Amino acid sequence: MAKPVDRVCLCWQRRGREKIDRQAIAVAMSVAMASPQPLLLRHLAKVAITFGIFLLLSPVSITSADDDISHHGSAPKSPSCDNTLRLVKVKIWVDGAESSVLGGLTARFGGSLPTEAKDGARFPAVFTNPSNCCSNSSSKLSGFIALSIRGDCDFMTKAEFAESGGAAGLLVINDGEELLEMSCREDHVSNITIPIVMISKSGGGAIEKFMTSSKKVELLLYSPNRPIVDFSVVFLWLMAVGTIVCASLWSEFTGSKKNDERYNELSPKESSNAGTVQDDAEDEVVDISAKSAIVFVISASTFLVLLYLFMSSWFVWLLIVLFCIGGIEGMHSCIVALILRKWRNSGDKKVNLPLLGEISVLSIVVLLFCLVFSIVWAAKRKESYSWVGQDILGVCLMITILQLARLPNIKVATVLLCCAFIYDIFWVFLSPLIFHDSVMIAVARGDNSGGESIPMLLRVPRTFDPWGGYDMIGFGDILFPGLLVSFAFRYDKANKKGVLNGYFLWLTIGYGFGLFFTYLGLYLMDGHGQPALLYLVPCTLGNYLYFRFAVILGAARRELKHLWNYGEESSQSKENAAEA
């Protein structure tokens, strides 16, 4: 009977392990699953692998949550039409009382705005007549901030008519919720001196609602500076690197020396039972094959396009449900493993349940806790503090996936990461040539998702940014390099390498630098979403198709051939022995 993981579109190749790896797996898995467990719960681990594949198919680019700006790289530019795009705060007063603050975006042309609210001036607001501001306005604009709807003529024409009428500024109300880059006409020199700002459709509707109630509405425009580095970036960097390190060392941390001693001192009868547990544990661990990488690119691209074309609130809800299922399994495995490491006998008490069979009380209690935790997160996912629960579920899930899915050698790592490298760059930078939009960034933003956001991200709020929002990193940006770093740790351990003459430390440092370069690129690109694997793969696997750390270091030590085909010889000999 085919196992659940065999029905996944990616092709996985099971391989044998050397004794030292099998022993570690047996101990770690028996601890994590509170062995013995019923078959149903053991197969939940495979559900985590399957869901992990869905995560690998999800957007993996770092982006900024609330910077919903549409860029047009082909927009005409000139020395008078090359202003830096800046986010704008629009403070509203209604009948003299401060009401609310809207967000906006400056144009490529026009005057500048103060960076502090105290340096700005309040002006009454008025709608132009006609409302599109494509001709001289019959309503008085002098000393007012004019409001115009988008459309019927270009942005410069609107600005020229508003300035000629004496307006102190122009707010262009978009026909959607995004903030569009407003640029000049081709081969045109801009002489506009008033500030031009675009606001969203809902923002314009809020101002119009106040004005139609015969209330006096006053506006103040200013554009505060953003910090070069926010604390959230540092915290996110620590979380990403820490997740990979924890996943690599997890079996060492949860498998205590006492458990290893007990494993070695088993009687022949107990040895037989232990072998069964060991085989079950080994069956839960899968090695990714080289063919999987090719299938991945096709599957991932198909899934991403489907998300882009059919994105809706129900589609995102489906992903949220899958995320909760995977998060429950990951959190359950991590908590049980940590508890049993401290109190080894706490999983001995068991009960018989219908359908489930014999199961430990500890596992039931932890499972219920994880279930409640994920339900509360899903119910409160739009609250300001929901990022904490999302990150906890995500980190636990990724640690579990990296225990179950493994790279057998550098050859497979090369194929997988190079394919992911091309996939990431194409869907961020090259997809606009086909779809007229960056598919990866559009999906990550949650366009047409009804206000819902995809949960397969670690995110941290920008603490010191006046605009708020979140810095985030996709699970794939951690899982892909994490597979390579985890392999390096297992290789170092199996070959008795020290910290400095091994590969684990240097690949971890490489990942940290790659993540740093990713955020540097994000800053230099004015917050435009970046394909993180563009920086992470060269810093871990190598410089594009050549290795910088793994291969150059391995070649220097004359270990490249061993790294390249590691595990294949032992696997082949075991298969021959089994056939004999």
Side-chain angles (χ1 to χ4, degrees):
M1 181 176 177
K3 298 189 180 295
V5 74
D6 295 330
R7 292 195 290 267
V8 181
C9 58
L10 297 184
C11 304
W12 299 94
Q13 181 179 352
R14 287 179 168 80
R15 299 189 181 277
R17 299 266 179 202
E18 295 183 5
K19 182 177 179 180
I20 184 170
D21 287 332
R22 293 203 314 270
Q23 180 173 332
I25 292 169
V27 173
M29 290 299 295
S30 62
V31 170
M33 300 300 294
S35 177
Q37 292 286 14
L39 186 62
L40 177 62
L41 287 183
R42 292 217 324 268
H43 281 316
L44 282 177
K46 291 189 176 180
V47 173
I49 296 180
T50 305
F51 183 69
I53 295 169
F54 280 99
L55 296 181
L56 296 178
L57 302 180
S58 67
V60 294
S61 293
I62 291 183
T63 186
S64 302
D66 292 343
D67 298 349
D68 195 8
I69 302 172
S70 291
H71 297 266
H72 295 280
S74 59
K77 292 181 181 179
S78 67
S80 62
C81 186
D82 196 21
N83 291 353
T84 301
L85 296 178
R86 291 179 61 92
L87 292 173
V88 177
K89 284 186 179 288
V90 182
K91 297 187 73 172
I92 304 175
W93 280 264
V94 180
D95 289 339
E98 187 172 340
S99 175
S100 57
V101 180
L102 303 177
L105 180 69
T106 60
R108 287 289 184 186
F109 56 92
S112 59
L113 290 170
T115 58
E116 300 286 343
K118 63 181 181 180
D119 298 328
R122 287 161 54 178
F123 293 96
V126 64
F127 273 94
T128 60
N129 187 16
S131 60
N132 58 16
C133 199
C134 292
S135 59
N136 288 319
S137 175
S138 60
S139 57
K140 180 184 177 182
L141 300 182
S142 181
F144 287 79
I145 291 181
L147 288 94
S148 163
I149 63 172
R150 179 190 171 192
D152 300 326
C153 60
D154 59 66
F155 297 115
M156 284 205 68
T157 300
K158 297 176 187 291
E160 288 167 350
F161 281 115
E163 187 170 43
S164 66
L170 173 65
L171 293 187
V172 179
I173 303 172
N174 196 14
D175 52 10
E177 292 307 305
E178 64 182 2
L179 301 177
L180 185 70
E181 175 185 343
M182 297 183 289
S183 55
C184 301
R185 294 191 294 266
E186 191 170 359
D187 300 327
H188 185 86
V189 177
S190 171
N191 296 315
I192 306 298
T193 58
I194 61 173
I196 313 299
V197 176
M198 173 170 282
I199 59 175
S200 65
K201 181 179 180 180
S202 60
I207 296 176
E208 184 179 14
K209 183 178 179 181
F210 289 132
M211 296 179 68
T212 53
S213 302
S214 300
K215 295 179 180 180
K216 181 182 178 181
V217 176
E218 295 175 295
L219 305 176
L220 185 150
L221 310 180
Y222 68 105
S223 179
N225 292 321
R226 310 187 73 168
I228 297 177
V229 178
D230 192 86
F231 171 76
S232 60
V233 173
V234 178
F235 191 71
L236 198 60
W237 185 93
L238 291 173
M239 270 207 302
V241 176
T243 298
I244 288 181
V245 173
C246 281
S248 301
L249 303 177
W250 189 256
S251 60
E252 292 294 303
F253 180 74
T254 56
S256 64
K257 292 182 179 178
K258 291 182 179 179
N259 283 330
D260 290 338
E261 291 169 2
R262 182 176 180 273
Y263 181 91
N264 292 327
E265 293 172 0
L266 289 174
S267 63
K269 181 178 180 181
E270 289 173 319
S271 251
S272 175
N273 294 334
T276 303
V277 175
Q278 174 180 311
D279 291 340
D280 290 341
E282 184 174 318
D283 187 56
E284 302 296 344
V285 178
V286 292
D287 281 342
I288 304 172
S289 69
K291 294 180 181 179
S292 306
I294 307 300
V295 177
F296 163 77
V297 174
I298 300 173
S299 303
S301 299
T302 302
F303 186 76
L304 192 64
V305 171
L306 289 176
L307 277 174
Y308 176 74
L309 296 177
F310 303 105
M311 175 69 74
S312 60
S313 57
W314 70 264
F315 207 150
V316 178
W317 257 109
L318 175 62
L319 296 179
I320 290 174
V321 171
L322 291 174
F323 173 74
C324 289
I325 293 173
I328 290 171
E329 165 58 22
M331 195 174 180
H332 173 269
S333 295
C334 291
I335 292 177
V336 169
L338 292 174
I339 291 176
L340 290 181
R341 181 182 185 275
K342 184 68 175 178
W343 298 283
R344 291 185 300 125
N345 298 323
S346 58
D348 291 346
K349 187 174 182 181
K350 299 176 179 63
V351 293
N352 252 314
L353 296 179
L355 301 178
L356 296 179
E358 190 180 59
I359 182 172
S360 72
V361 175
L362 172 64
S363 184
I364 295 175
V365 173
V366 173
L367 185 62
L368 290 176
F369 170 77
C370 297
L371 181 63
V372 171
F373 186 92
S374 65
I375 292 175
V376 171
W377 171 81
K380 302 289 185 179
R381 68 191 181 284
K382 292 187 178 181
E383 299 294 334
S384 60
Y385 52 81
S386 64
W387 64 274
V388 177
Q390 181 172 329
D391 289 352
I392 291 174
L393 290 170
V395 168
C396 291
L397 176 58
M398 286 187 285
I399 289 176
T400 302
I401 291 173
L402 291 175
Q403 301 306 300
L404 303 178
R406 299 184 174 185
L407 293 173
N409 49 49
I410 287 294
K411 178 173 66 177
V412 176
T414 303
V415 176
L416 178 65
L417 291 182
C418 286
C419 287
F421 177 80
I422 296 171
Y423 160 84
D424 214 13
I425 293 174
F426 177 83
W427 290 111
V428 174
F429 288 148
L430 302 181
S431 59
L433 300 177
I434 302 174
F435 297 91
H436 306 291
D437 194 8
S438 176
V439 173
M440 186 82 77
I441 294 177
V443 172
R445 278 199 313 250
D447 293 357
N448 304 319
S449 63
E452 299 290 348
S453 58
I454 293 177
M456 286 82 77
L457 300 160
L458 295 184
R459 59 192 183 107
V460 179
R462 302 191 192 114
T463 312
F464 302 105
D465 193 327
W467 300 100
Y470 294 86
D471 283 308
M472 59 185 73
I473 181 171
F475 286 179
D477 299 330
I478 299 174
L479 290 175
F480 279 122
L483 289 169
L484 178 60
V485 176
S486 296
F487 164 77
F489 176 78
R490 296 195 309 275
Y491 180 88
D492 289 351
K493 179 183 175 184
N495 292 275
K496 297 181 172 56
K497 290 185 173 293
V499 175
L500 295 179
N501 66 343
Y503 297 91
F504 171 69
L505 174 64
W506 305 112
L507 287 179
T508 302
I509 293 174
Y511 177 76
F513 272 105
L515 209 52
F516 168 77
F517 291 139
T518 304
Y519 283 108
L520 181 62
L522 191 66
Y523 170 74
L524 295 176
M525 294 284 287
D526 294 325
H528 194 275
Q530 295 293 293
L533 294 179
L534 171 65
Y535 309 91
L536 294 174
V537 171
C539 286
T540 51
L541 190 58
N543 189 6
Y544 293 97
L545 298 179
Y546 296 94
F547 304 115
R548 177 170 295 172
F549 283 172
V551 170
I552 290 181
L553 193 59
R557 295 173 181 169
R558 306 190 177 206
E559 296 173 348
L560 177 55
K561 184 177 180 181
H562 191 216
L563 280 166
W564 190 260
N565 298 307
Y566 181 68
E568 290 187 354
E569 295 178 0
S570 60
S571 177
Q572 186 65 38
S573 62
K574 289 182 181 181
E575 289 177 2
N576 294 337
E579 291 176 0

